[in-house]
Amino acid sequence: MDDLLAARSQMALSLGFHIIFACIGMIMPFLMAISHYKYLKTGLQKYKLLTKAWSKGVAIFFVTGAVSGTMLSFELGLLWPKFMEHAGPIFGMPFSLEGTAFFIEAIALGFFLYGWEKFHPWFHWFTGVVVGLSGLASGILVVAANAWMNAPAGFDFVNGEYLNINPMAAMFNETWFTQALHMILAAFVATCFAVAGIHAFLILRGKSVEIHKSALKIALTIGAFAAILQPISGDLSAKDVAQRQPAKLAAMEAHFRTEKAAPLIIGGIPDESEREVKYALKIPGALSFLAHGDFQAEVTGLDQIPNEEHPPVLVTHIAFQIMVACGGVLMLAGIAWLFGLWKSKAFIYHKKFLKFLIFLTPLGFLAVEAGWVVTEVGRQPWILYGIMKTKDALTPMPGLVYSFSLYAIIYISLAVIVSTLLIRQIKSLETDQDLSLPQNQ
């Protein structure tokens, strides 16, 4: 493994690990706040107990997300010093503001966790809302920085120099909104379906059923709406990619040849040497319509992109297919849940449907991981699209494979520790005697 691959692998591992905790850290406080609101409005103890149980999970994910996020920020400077030398003054603002949001989130979480019976009930609830809002702001700001890497703005690049720097223009670049919207909806979908799957499992176990049904209703109703909206945000993102990063779109769709009425490729295995996709289903004109809103529009293929600027097609295409497939299944499940909530409660609490929800538990995060693979691998060979290549940003320090190995051990250890804590927390939802409430509680 050469140094470039080791550095990219380390960043991929760090981002892939952190994004799970970032998603949960952004979304769980909102579920917690909804449950807390229901408790304050109804006085039912099941909502108080559910809020406290969820808040313990929020604390676990917050700490782990803080550690992994800090490591990730250090890696930017350690592995890619040439990039940070020039990019730091330009897109440093969203990272600085993200630090402020994180500071607010930490304070608000402390108030919420230790504020029971100490603050006014509605102020206590508000601190939980602040945890969610500040976490959401952190996520949007980080995505804005990543969007800048895909759509550089806020400076003039003249003779290798970065001039006329405007940090505000860099932060609010032309693609930050579509990327942020897509990421936030993905976080809602992934987290809500994961939470729903856990509580579906606990319902089938037959203990504290009323509490877990309430949890399932809160999580899956929000997740269902997010899953239904997600294809809309995906369409906006795809159209933006078609305009700004045609090579990425071509890799996503394994579109090797520029043509009008370009077909949408579903599945298949790209053969980059033969420039064809094997075993694929093709829908004539659909890619032209999705990319440009016209079934006859011309879609740029990889034949119009210099060979040295081709992203890895196989990885990008398969990741994109996984993301779309997972999102499609979750959207259909969300529609089924909302229909059942409206027409048939017996259906949504039937054993077969609950088992189906358990199967869906990891699917949202699989889609999130695949989506980030599409974003990052599809941008290659650029670290700053069209301006700086990844290989030119790499640190001259040798032996990066050892750094990658060390980080891998750290992340595996963290994963084991967090998994153990979560399993204990889930088991406590079954064994805690306080959860054994009458159905009207």
Side-chain angles (χ1 to χ4, degrees), residues 3-4 7 10 77-79 81 394-404:
D3 286 338
L4 179 60
Q10 183 173 324
L78 292 173
L79 298 176
L394 183 65
T395 177
M397 181 180 69
L400 294 183
V401 66
Y402 300 109
S403 173
F404 168 56

Side-chain angles (χ1 to χ4, degrees), residues 20-194:
I20 295 175
F21 299 96
C23 287
I24 298 173
M26 284 191 290
I27 307 308
M28 276 302 298
F30 289 106
L31 303 184
M32 181 180 74
I34 292 171
S35 176
H36 194 186
Y37 177 82
K38 285 180 172 289
Y39 164 65
L40 293 177
K41 294 295 288 186
T42 66
L44 295 178
Q45 287 297 304
K46 64 179 181 180
Y47 290 119
K48 180 179 181 180
L49 295 170
L50 178 59
T51 303
K52 286 190 171 184
W54 277 349
S55 69
K56 292 177 183 177
V58 170
I60 293 171
F61 285 110
F62 175 82
V63 172
T64 311
V67 172
S68 59
T70 302
M71 293 171 69
L72 194 59
S73 63
F74 279 126
E75 286 175 282
L76 281 172
L78 292 173
L79 298 176
W80 316 105
K82 297 293 184 182
F83 171 68
M84 293 303 295
E85 176 185 353
H86 300 290
I90 304 172
F91 82 148
M93 180 175 287
F95 280 122
S96 299
L97 293 176
E98 192 274 337
T100 302
F102 172 79
F103 181 67
I104 295 171
E105 183 182 8
I107 293 174
L109 181 60
F111 281 172
F112 186 83
L113 291 174
Y114 299 102
W116 291 97
E117 284 81 45
K118 295 181 177 66
F119 296 134
H120 185 280
W122 285 106
F123 176 77
H124 184 222
W125 170 81
F126 177 71
T127 62
V129 174
V130 172
V131 174
L133 291 176
S134 53
L136 200 64
S138 293
I140 291 173
L141 289 164
V142 171
V143 171
N146 181 265
W148 178 79
M149 297 167 70
N150 288 303
F155 64 95
D156 294 325
F157 188 63
V158 181
N159 297 325
E161 295 187 28
Y162 298 77
L163 306 175
N164 302 321
I165 293 174
N166 183 342
M168 290 296 292
M171 183 166 67
F172 295 109
N173 57 80
E174 294 184 355
T175 194
W176 80 270
F177 176 76
T178 55
Q179 276 199 216
L181 177 64
H182 196 57
M183 182 64 237
I184 295 306
L185 286 173
F188 269 103
V189 174
T191 303
C192 289
F193 272 89

